[in-house]
Amino acid sequence: MDPGRKAMIAGRGPPARDITAPRHDPNSRISKPTRPSGSGSRTPDFRPPKNAPTLEDEQSRQWVSQEDNFVLKQAKKKADIRVREGRAKPIDWLAVILRIIDPDRDLLDDDEEEVQVDVVDPEGVFEGLSDVQLAELEIDINSYVALETKKRNHDYWKTMQIICTDRRQKLKPLGPEGRAVSSVASDVDKLLGPKTYEQLEALEKQIRAKLRSNEPIDVYQSVLDSRLDTLRKQQEEDASGVRAKLQEMLTGPTSVVEEGSENQVEAQNVSQLVRRQPNFQYSSTHDPEPLLKLHNEDKAVEVVDESVFLQKIVAERRRVLKLGYIPSRQPTTEKLSSSSTMRASGAVASSSAPPGTQRFSTIVNEDFSQATKALYEREVARGVNEDEEIFTGEESVTTTAKPQWADKYRPRKPRYFNRVQMGYEWNKYNQTHYDHDNPPPKVVQGYKFNIFYPDLIDKSKAPTFKIIREHGRKRGESFAPAGEEDTCLIRFIAGPPYEDIAFRIVDKEWDYSAKRDRGFRSSFDKGILQLHFQYKKAFTRAVCCTNFLHPCATVNFIGSFDTLHQAQADQHFMINPTAANISRNNFGLTTPMSAMPQSSTPTAWNGPNQTPLNFDDQTTSDYYGYSANITSNEQVNNFLRGMSFSDVPRTWTPYDPRMLVDNGIGAGSFEPSAYMIDPNKNDMQTSVDGPDLQFDAPENSRGFSRLSISRSPKMECDALASDTLAFSKPAPFRLPSTDDSDDGDRSSREMTAMDIDDHCADEPYAKLIYRALMSAPNHSMVLQEIYQWFRENTVKGSSDTKGWMNSIRHNLSMNAAFKKTERKIAGDESKKSTEWVLEEFAIKDGVQSTTRHDILRSQFSQPQGQIAQRQSSPLTPPSHESMPSSSNPYFFPKVEQLELPYGGPCGLEDVQGVYIDDSPLFTDNHGAQFCDGLPRF
DNA sequence: CTATGTAAACAAC
DNA sequence: GTTGTTTACATAG
């Protein structure tokens, strides 16, 4: 309930401030430094309530009616959805029918596609309902009566009420008096009985007026009639189509059954109907497969006695005769919306059947499982594309016990038709070693699972699947040796009568983006579970080739570690086996690295202490020297901004762009990101022992301008080096921390086909905004551009609700990483645009969380007198006590930040791995690893 | 408790 | 109506 209404009920005005809630404190407000004080800041609202008491009642009424209206709208929408999904209850049909026949419904309101219903007579809905169902329906109708405000609709529901009561009366056995009560009469009694004479008189006037008017007495009759007419015609056409087809099949193209004869057949006279069937000679060709063997799918089908079956047919026929058209199989048992089934199977038929007979299957084959079967066949007929193969990697499922329902339904495996998509990966390595005539081995790029559950008992419950990783491996971790891929099991769980089914697939990060070409799909429709996904493409973001480097040097990578976080998936170093000493530690990676050798024999990367290979072992000269490739899925440009090399005499020289190649797909748009070393020059000025090393970047390499190398005096502190540094704990996948380590399935994350989107949507707003801004020129965007980026690149942004926009604004406001700047639009000085730009520190180091109320609390609860530790906040760039705004955790002066005293007693708490600035990024924990002094070249 | 998401009030435009 | 700021609260771990 909305707060307004709640308050109204409680006898108050609009929501008042909760006195138990934290109070406004103008002094404690968090604000960002860039904003002029005063503007935009709020003062507590001490104004008297806006509403004069006289207005209150009127407003209350409005709230109530608005809420009721909302409830009503929602109810109607839900009804629509249920009808469309084949889960409709009788009340839903009534609601949907009303929507269709309501001549002045709000067309603008119909944002959703109109439900295709072929039942247009609300009375038909009541057909065949039991007393219990009717009772339920009555309750539902009553709530509509209560909610509906429009007169006409209200009347409709009133009428339905009466019909419903009438039906129930009729179902009841005759009372002891043996007198059949005319329920309508009693309704009339009820209606008129309590009225006074005056009221009756008024009513009479109304009725007379109504009779005099030209308006049809039954407002719906005309609409109904026209729809019925269309429907009947259509069904007649269908029927004659079927008849023609049958004739052709059975006796050739001569007419046997006379026109119209069927119409005279009385419903009860089934035997007559049977007799009228044309005679024909049986031939085995008519029945090539006598169904002696039950189809797997049919084994659980209900067994019906012949007489019962005939009775059912008679009842059905009666109903058809009464209604004048063939009702769809709603509303009770067959849950599937037959119209959609019919359309779907019709489409199947149309591909092969001669024109005019398309409807054949639609009428004869209304059966759900038939339709699903047809879809299965269509899927099979569709075959595989050039880059696809049929995938049957079915694994035995380790089922603990027989399912509980095993005695009720015969357990069976679902049928499936799966494809695996294969393709070439034109990464640097493959580009070097293969060409299009002589391509590299194909790798798995994605899968298309189509699993068929035509006879699912509970059709309203979509099957689910889960990913099972074995041997305690977690998401993002890799146990596979170099050059091989990890696999996992994907297990589909549906419920009775289906057993689980599992397949072994490659375990890489999925690309959930609903972008046109990536084709992510997860749906359950018409009994078919479809799960189509591709893996994220690996982009080689940085290829650092350092020829002429001493073989034992340690290479430190400098980059945006936050970006690294986002670079999830299979981050690994593909390193030349000769590059033995790439310091893993300093990169803060926890993912196992693997080596990608140039030669055909993979060599595992054993970490920094691996013995370097001798250069003489090199057989090719392609990568003579050291190289390190870092692959990531993300197209983040300044993923890696540099490398540093310890313990070798060196000169930094601009990196040779020819050595840097890849963006993973062969296009050469790669930004230079490292320098190489010329060992022949020994420049002591840049000796590694110098405290901080900074240099100016060449103009053409914008990533370099922020490159810095230095030694950290503080990094020896274990606590800092391990946990407090954001980048020291990269999450290989941005996965929910739900831990799916475990051999079995218990803790594996389970997903329904529906909640996948959520699952992949868990990258925080702050990081997404960061990515958005990073992708923009000048790291700057206006709000609308950010929105657009979200729409194009995130699941959040594809949501219909506006909440995500709110959250974006919230994040922009709250996060010190984002700075609002006013920019004049060229040409029109009067117009300004507000742009959001990334702060320098954020560009380098990424962003952290948004809302940090704890900051304030901890700050103000500091014991007085004591020198308070500065607040640790990922958002808080280091601030200084002496700074004028040290009370403001978001405030930090840009100039001073370069001179922060890291040596101080509490100097490092502030950085929290975020504000790294030009201060020490790495320490060389592993010490020097010289072999014998000089490089062997 | 932390990190994050979400809703919403409110001001300013 | 949009944009920006802030508060409050929810939720998962």
Side-chain angles (χ1 to χ4, degrees), chain A residues 452-474:
Chain A
F452 297 81
Y453 298 103
D455 305 310
L456 207 56
I457 301 299
D458 184 359
K459 290 188 173 69
S460 63
K461 224 175 118 199
T464 61
F465 66 85
K466 56 185 167 189
I467 301 291
I468 300 157
R469 298 187 175 80
E470 296 135 310
H471 314 301
R473 193 168 59 84
K474 294 182 188 172

Short mmCIF file of all heavy atoms in Angstrom, two decimals, chain A residues 452-474:
data_model
loop_
_atom_site.label_atom_id
_atom_site.label_comp_id
_atom_site.label_asym_id
_atom_site.label_seq_id
_atom_site.Cartn_x
_atom_site.Cartn_y
_atom_site.Cartn_z
N PHE A 452 12.73 -30.36 -24.74
CA PHE A 452 11.29 -30.44 -24.96
C PHE A 452 10.58 -31.13 -23.80
O PHE A 452 10.88 -32.27 -23.48
CB PHE A 452 11.03 -31.19 -26.27
CG PHE A 452 11.59 -30.45 -27.44
CD1 PHE A 452 12.93 -30.54 -27.76
CD2 PHE A 452 10.78 -29.64 -28.21
CE1 PHE A 452 13.46 -29.85 -28.83
CE2 PHE A 452 11.30 -28.94 -29.28
CZ PHE A 452 12.64 -29.04 -29.59
N TYR A 453 9.70 -30.40 -23.22
CA TYR A 453 8.93 -30.93 -22.09
C TYR A 453 7.44 -30.86 -22.40
O TYR A 453 6.72 -30.08 -21.78
CB TYR A 453 9.22 -30.12 -20.83
CG TYR A 453 10.67 -30.15 -20.37
CD1 TYR A 453 11.51 -29.08 -20.59
CD2 TYR A 453 11.16 -31.25 -19.67
CE1 TYR A 453 12.83 -29.10 -20.14
CE2 TYR A 453 12.47 -31.27 -19.22
CZ TYR A 453 13.30 -30.20 -19.46
OH TYR A 453 14.60 -30.21 -19.00
N PRO A 454 6.98 -31.63 -23.38
CA PRO A 454 5.59 -31.47 -23.79
C PRO A 454 4.58 -31.89 -22.73
O PRO A 454 3.48 -31.37 -22.69
CB PRO A 454 5.48 -32.36 -25.03
CG PRO A 454 6.60 -33.32 -24.91
CD PRO A 454 7.69 -32.63 -24.18
N ASP A 455 4.97 -32.79 -21.88
CA ASP A 455 3.96 -33.35 -20.98
C ASP A 455 4.20 -32.98 -19.54
O ASP A 455 3.80 -33.69 -18.63
CB ASP A 455 3.94 -34.87 -21.12
CG ASP A 455 3.74 -35.27 -22.57
OD1 ASP A 455 2.79 -34.74 -23.17
OD2 ASP A 455 4.53 -36.07 -23.09
N LEU A 456 4.83 -31.88 -19.36
CA LEU A 456 5.10 -31.43 -18.00
C LEU A 456 3.80 -31.37 -17.21
O LEU A 456 2.81 -30.82 -17.69
CB LEU A 456 5.74 -30.05 -18.07
CG LEU A 456 6.66 -29.65 -16.94
CD1 LEU A 456 7.77 -30.69 -16.79
CD2 LEU A 456 7.27 -28.29 -17.24
N ILE A 457 3.81 -31.96 -16.05
CA ILE A 457 2.58 -31.98 -15.26
C ILE A 457 2.20 -30.56 -14.85
O ILE A 457 1.09 -30.10 -15.06
CB ILE A 457 2.75 -32.87 -14.00
CG1 ILE A 457 3.12 -34.29 -14.41
CG2 ILE A 457 1.48 -32.85 -13.17
CD1 ILE A 457 2.13 -35.01 -15.25
N ASP A 458 3.16 -29.89 -14.27
CA ASP A 458 2.88 -28.52 -13.85
C ASP A 458 3.46 -27.56 -14.89
O ASP A 458 4.62 -27.19 -14.85
CB ASP A 458 3.50 -28.26 -12.49
CG ASP A 458 3.15 -26.87 -11.98
OD1 ASP A 458 2.44 -26.14 -12.72
OD2 ASP A 458 3.56 -26.52 -10.87
N LYS A 459 2.60 -27.20 -15.81
CA LYS A 459 3.10 -26.41 -16.93
C LYS A 459 3.37 -24.96 -16.54
O LYS A 459 3.97 -24.20 -17.30
CB LYS A 459 2.10 -26.45 -18.08
CG LYS A 459 2.04 -27.81 -18.74
CD LYS A 459 1.18 -27.74 -19.98
CE LYS A 459 1.23 -29.04 -20.75
NZ LYS A 459 0.55 -30.16 -20.06
N SER A 460 2.90 -24.60 -15.38
CA SER A 460 3.11 -23.20 -15.00
C SER A 460 4.50 -22.99 -14.43
O SER A 460 4.93 -21.87 -14.23
CB SER A 460 2.07 -22.80 -13.96
OG SER A 460 2.25 -23.57 -12.80
N LYS A 461 5.17 -24.07 -14.15
CA LYS A 461 6.48 -23.93 -13.53
C LYS A 461 7.56 -24.18 -14.57
O LYS A 461 7.70 -25.28 -15.08
CB LYS A 461 6.61 -24.93 -12.38
CG LYS A 461 7.23 -24.32 -11.14
CD LYS A 461 7.21 -25.31 -10.00
CE LYS A 461 8.62 -25.62 -9.56
NZ LYS A 461 8.68 -26.87 -8.80
N ALA A 462 8.30 -23.15 -14.86
CA ALA A 462 9.33 -23.29 -15.88
C ALA A 462 10.47 -24.14 -15.36
O ALA A 462 10.82 -24.06 -14.19
CB ALA A 462 9.86 -21.92 -16.27
N PRO A 463 11.01 -24.95 -16.23
CA PRO A 463 12.19 -25.73 -15.81
C PRO A 463 13.34 -24.79 -15.44
O PRO A 463 13.35 -23.62 -15.84
CB PRO A 463 12.55 -26.52 -17.06
CG PRO A 463 11.32 -26.54 -17.89
CD PRO A 463 10.61 -25.27 -17.59
N THR A 464 14.24 -25.32 -14.71
CA THR A 464 15.38 -24.52 -14.31
C THR A 464 16.65 -25.23 -14.74
O THR A 464 16.61 -26.38 -15.16
CB THR A 464 15.42 -24.34 -12.78
OG1 THR A 464 15.53 -25.63 -12.19
CG2 THR A 464 14.20 -23.64 -12.27
N PHE A 465 17.74 -24.53 -14.60
CA PHE A 465 19.00 -25.21 -14.83
C PHE A 465 20.02 -24.70 -13.84
O PHE A 465 19.84 -23.66 -13.23
CB PHE A 465 19.49 -25.01 -16.27
CG PHE A 465 19.86 -23.60 -16.58
CD1 PHE A 465 21.13 -23.13 -16.29
CD2 PHE A 465 18.96 -22.75 -17.17
CE1 PHE A 465 21.49 -21.83 -16.58
CE2 PHE A 465 19.30 -21.45 -17.46
CZ PHE A 465 20.57 -20.99 -17.16
N LYS A 466 21.03 -25.48 -13.68
CA LYS A 466 22.13 -24.98 -12.85
C LYS A 466 23.46 -25.46 -13.39
O LYS A 466 23.54 -26.46 -14.10
CB LYS A 466 21.94 -25.38 -11.40
CG LYS A 466 21.79 -26.83 -11.12
CD LYS A 466 21.49 -26.98 -9.64
CE LYS A 466 21.01 -28.39 -9.31
NZ LYS A 466 20.53 -28.48 -7.95
N ILE A 467 24.44 -24.71 -13.01
CA ILE A 467 25.79 -25.02 -13.46
C ILE A 467 26.51 -25.73 -12.32
O ILE A 467 26.48 -25.28 -11.18
CB ILE A 467 26.55 -23.73 -13.80
CG1 ILE A 467 25.83 -22.95 -14.89
CG2 ILE A 467 27.99 -24.02 -14.18
CD1 ILE A 467 25.85 -23.63 -16.22
N ILE A 468 27.08 -26.83 -12.65
CA ILE A 468 27.77 -27.60 -11.62
C ILE A 468 29.25 -27.70 -11.97
O ILE A 468 29.61 -28.21 -13.03
CB ILE A 468 27.16 -29.01 -11.50
CG1 ILE A 468 25.68 -28.89 -11.13
CG2 ILE A 468 27.91 -29.83 -10.47
CD1 ILE A 468 24.88 -30.09 -11.51
N ARG A 469 30.05 -27.18 -11.09
CA ARG A 469 31.49 -27.29 -11.30
C ARG A 469 32.02 -28.35 -10.36
O ARG A 469 31.61 -28.43 -9.20
CB ARG A 469 32.17 -25.95 -11.03
CG ARG A 469 31.68 -24.89 -11.96
CD ARG A 469 32.46 -23.59 -11.84
NE ARG A 469 31.98 -22.68 -12.86
CZ ARG A 469 30.87 -21.96 -12.77
NH1 ARG A 469 30.15 -22.02 -11.66
NH2 ARG A 469 30.47 -21.19 -13.76
N GLU A 470 32.93 -29.11 -10.87
CA GLU A 470 33.38 -30.25 -10.07
C GLU A 470 34.68 -29.95 -9.34
O GLU A 470 35.36 -28.98 -9.62
CB GLU A 470 33.57 -31.46 -10.98
CG GLU A 470 32.26 -31.91 -11.58
CD GLU A 470 32.38 -32.22 -13.06
OE1 GLU A 470 32.92 -31.38 -13.80
OE2 GLU A 470 31.96 -33.30 -13.45
N HIS A 471 34.97 -30.80 -8.45
CA HIS A 471 36.22 -30.79 -7.70
C HIS A 471 36.44 -29.46 -6.97
O HIS A 471 37.56 -28.96 -6.89
CB HIS A 471 37.41 -31.08 -8.61
CG HIS A 471 37.16 -32.24 -9.52
ND1 HIS A 471 36.86 -33.49 -9.03
CD2 HIS A 471 37.08 -32.33 -10.86
CE1 HIS A 471 36.65 -34.30 -10.05
NE2 HIS A 471 36.76 -33.63 -11.17
N GLY A 472 35.39 -28.90 -6.50
CA GLY A 472 35.53 -27.70 -5.69
C GLY A 472 35.92 -26.45 -6.48
O GLY A 472 36.22 -25.42 -5.91
N ARG A 473 35.91 -26.57 -7.75
CA ARG A 473 36.27 -25.41 -8.54
C ARG A 473 35.16 -24.37 -8.45
O ARG A 473 33.99 -24.71 -8.38
CB ARG A 473 36.47 -25.81 -10.00
CG ARG A 473 37.13 -24.76 -10.85
CD ARG A 473 37.55 -25.36 -12.16
NE ARG A 473 36.41 -25.90 -12.89
CZ ARG A 473 35.62 -25.17 -13.67
NH1 ARG A 473 35.86 -23.90 -13.82
NH2 ARG A 473 34.59 -25.72 -14.29
N LYS A 474 35.56 -23.14 -8.42
CA LYS A 474 34.56 -22.09 -8.35
C LYS A 474 34.49 -21.36 -9.66
O LYS A 474 35.39 -21.48 -10.49
CB LYS A 474 34.91 -21.11 -7.24
CG LYS A 474 34.82 -21.75 -5.88
CD LYS A 474 35.13 -20.75 -4.80
CE LYS A 474 35.23 -21.47 -3.47
NZ LYS A 474 35.71 -20.60 -2.42
#
